[in-house]
Amino acid sequence: MTTRRKSAAELFDALGERYEDLFGRVPDQLAALDWLADRLPAGARVLDVGSGTGRPTAQALTDAGYAVTGIDVSAAMVEAARTLVPGARFEQADVRTYVPEAGGFDGVCSFFPLLVMDQPEIEAALDRMASWVAPGGYLVLATVPGDIRGLDIEWMGHPVTVSSLSVEQHLARLSGAGLEVLHHHTSSFVPAGPLAGPEEHFFCYARRPV
């Protein structure tokens, strides 16, 4: 009997705050947030794609004085984020269909929200997020890299189907969307618990020229 794979919304509804317990203190993500916060103008508008519980991304940027909107497909995550980070605004929305307010964002953050998608959806999501970056603004993203399509795995005790793009594919996509890649690197991360194993992470900082 085949086990039905969970959608992203089902997966993160089920995980709830356990996800933050394991992935809420990724050192390179915290460094990326510091990097972004150092470059944003006062009162900057920031979008957190796949905002989860709101921590650490929305919390850190709200604490730095920025106007943060978080979107997530999981109703449970959005409910938790509204409680944990009351200074930000959170919406249940899918990056594939989300329509932001006019004017774009000074910063767009995307930390690991695209993995439970197919490759063409990931490519389209990258294009969409890039288009939301206002001139002079920044996109900061992270994912688990690899030219992977439709791989069935068990992750944190749940069956899911994951896809991704290679480092080179990400860089080409962002450049093709009109962003200037300022920095990228890969690093290893070991989650703080037995429910998930070590992961390779790809981080990228990009800017839309003025």
Side-chain angles (χ1 to χ4, degrees):
M1 181 176 177
T2 301
T3 302
R4 189 177 70 84
R5 323 310 288 182
K6 292 182 183 292
S7 69
E10 291 171 325
L11 174 64
F12 287 99
D13 279 346
L15 290 176
E17 293 182 39
R18 286 186 297 161
Y19 178 80
E20 183 189 339
D21 293 340
L22 270 66
F23 292 95
R25 301 293 298 176
V26 177
D28 282 9
Q29 181 175 347
L30 300 177
L33 291 171
D34 287 342
W35 182 93
L36 179 62
D38 286 344
R39 287 160 176 80
L40 292 174
R45 297 176 62 225
V46 184
L47 179 67
D48 179 11
V49 178
S51 48
T53 66
R55 301 190 302 201
T57 302
Q59 179 74 75
L61 294 170
T62 299
D63 288 348
Y66 302 120
V68 180
T69 297
I71 61 170
D72 201 288
V73 294
S74 165
M77 288 293 196
V78 170
E79 181 179 358
R82 287 171 175 166
T83 299
L84 294 169
V85 191
R89 181 167 63 94
F90 296 95
E91 302 177 33
Q92 186 180 358
D94 190 318
V95 65
R96 292 169 289 191
T97 55
Y98 175 66
V99 179
E101 296 177 5
F105 295 90
D106 302 296
V108 176
C109 297
S110 171
F111 293 110
F112 309 102
L114 308 183
L115 292 163
V116 191
M117 293 184 185
D118 197 6
Q119 278 189 336
E121 294 176 313
I122 295 171
E123 292 171 343
L126 290 171
D127 291 347
R128 287 173 62 79
M129 291 190 297
S131 76
W132 301 336
V133 179
Y138 298 90
L139 171 65
V140 178
L141 68 81
T143 191
V144 177
D147 188 359
I148 301 163
R149 186 172 189 184
L151 178 65
D152 292 333
I153 64 170
E154 182 174 300
W155 185 71
M156 293 189 70
H158 296 272
V160 294
T161 301
V162 298
S163 300
S164 189
L165 304 176
S166 68
V167 169
E168 293 75 20
Q169 289 169 319
H170 276 93
L171 297 176
R173 200 82 202 180
L174 296 177
S175 295
L179 300 186
E180 177 188 1
V181 174
L182 304 177
H183 168 80
H184 67 90
H185 71 274
T186 58
S187 59
S188 297
F189 176 72
V190 180
L195 284 177
E199 297 180 346
E200 182 185 28
H201 289 169
F202 163 64
F203 285 84
C204 183
Y205 309 164
R207 181 175 183 265
R208 180 168 296 285
V210 178

